[in-house]
Amino acid sequence: MDELFKDLDLYRTQEEMKQYFEHTQQMIHQNKEYIKLARLKKGRFKKFFEEFYPLYCFSQSSYCPRNSKLKLIIGSQGYDGLIIQPDGTEKRIEITSYKDGKLEFEDAQRVNSGNFALPRIQTEGSVEEYIEKVLENIQKKSKKDYSGASILFVVHTFHYFEAYGKSSAAFIRTLKKEMKNTDFRADEIYLLELNQPESESIKQNIHFIK
């Protein structure tokens, strides 16, 4: 595992971010033990999926100037990603999302043991709680000082809406309105919507809020 992620925190161009993500995904999918660890979000797998992937998505959007270089921050710096823009200026990114870590871990353990029943994280009754927790996370972040950094909120709608053939559009509209009406001590606010198992429409799924 250490070998797989030894270069996780290097500076990369947008194209290099894409290449690194796709190569690492391929390496994981070819190794049964890596797949199990990835489900459990063990060690650097957690960093890769919960922070590197959103930063990669941001790098592919129109909000990241071409010829920028991006780096995932390992350790406690008060932000998760750093972007060196073409003019040399730095842009710091705080990446945040609400995830039910305990429930996801238990679901991952079940799948790793060979039980492929519908994960509890996808049950109908969990939708309202997820929406409530996401809104709570927005308010929680508004109370912290992120001056000098931008906040990228990440929402994983697939397991709550699209997996059932439902649209998450109303939920996204609610989040955008809540963010616009909330005062943050941050330079900019963005929303990343992950509505597919592996998002194929990154550019339109990143929303600039303010």
Side-chain angles (χ1 to χ4, degrees):
M1 185 172 70
D2 290 341
E3 183 67 21
L4 182 65
F5 293 118
K6 64 182 177 66
D7 297 329
L8 184 60
D9 59 345
L10 294 182
Y11 276 109
R12 291 180 171 86
T13 64
Q14 284 110 321
E15 183 57 33
E16 289 168 341
M17 292 286 285
K18 185 174 189 294
Q19 291 171 354
Y20 179 78
F21 176 76
E22 291 177 347
H23 173 73
T24 305
Q25 278 281 78
Q26 184 179 25
M27 294 291 288
I28 292 170
H29 290 159
Q30 291 174 349
N31 186 303
K32 290 182 179 179
E33 287 305 309
Y34 283 167
I35 291 172
K36 289 182 178 180
L37 291 170
R39 289 191 189 115
L40 294 168
K41 303 284 180 67
K42 285 284 191 179
R44 291 290 175 91
F45 284 97
K46 182 178 176 67
K47 272 278 184 186
F48 178 73
F49 287 110
E50 295 187 3
E51 295 180 14
F52 183 88
Y53 179 56
L55 186 64
Y56 153 63
C57 290
F58 189 86
S59 78
Q60 304 302 298
S61 75
S62 59
Y63 303 113
C64 185
R66 298 305 304 168
N67 301 315
S68 295
K69 289 196 172 183
L70 301 92
K71 173 184 173 72
L72 183 70
I73 302 299
I74 305 294
S76 302
Q77 298 291 331
Y79 54 95
D80 302 306
L82 185 62
I83 303 172
I84 305 296
Q85 300 180 109
D87 62 1
T89 57
E90 291 185 355
K91 184 170 187 171
R92 298 174 178 181
I93 302 286
E94 165 71 4
I95 300 167
T96 181
S97 65
Y98 166 74
K99 298 179 78 67
D100 191 327
K102 182 176 182 292
L103 194 58
E104 287 194 8
F105 184 77
E106 290 172 355
D107 279 341
Q109 284 183 314
R110 279 197 307 131
V111 174
N112 282 350
S113 68
N115 183 348
F116 293 96
L118 185 67
R120 289 189 295 143
I121 199 77
Q122 293 186 27
T123 59
E124 187 77 25
S126 65
V127 174
E128 290 302 322
E129 182 181 359
Y130 178 70
I131 294 172
E132 180 183 335
K133 293 296 185 181
V134 170
L135 293 172
E136 284 180 7
N137 187 46
I138 291 171
Q139 292 306 314
K140 178 182 175 182
K141 290 295 179 180
S142 73
K143 293 175 171 59
K144 294 186 178 182
D145 189 355
Y146 291 102
S147 300
S150 298
I151 303 176
L152 175 62
F153 286 94
V154 183
V155 289
H156 302 260
T157 64
F158 178 79
H159 293 309
Y160 299 93
F161 296 94
E162 286 80 13
Y164 298 99
K166 297 181 179 180
S167 172
S168 59
F171 172 53
I172 296 300
R173 286 195 297 271
T174 297
L175 290 186
K176 291 167 75 172
K177 182 179 179 180
E178 182 76 11
M179 291 176 185
K180 285 179 181 178
N181 293 334
T182 299
D183 292 327
F184 295 93
R185 284 178 287 177
D187 294 353
E188 296 171 324
I189 305 297
Y190 298 90
L191 174 64
L192 169 60
E193 171 190 0
L194 298 179
N195 56 16
Q196 300 176 44
E198 292 176 12
S199 185
E200 299 170 0
S201 50
I202 291 172
K203 292 182 180 179
Q204 59 262 44
N205 285 352
I206 293 188
H207 310 276
F208 174 71
I209 307 300
K210 60 182 178 179

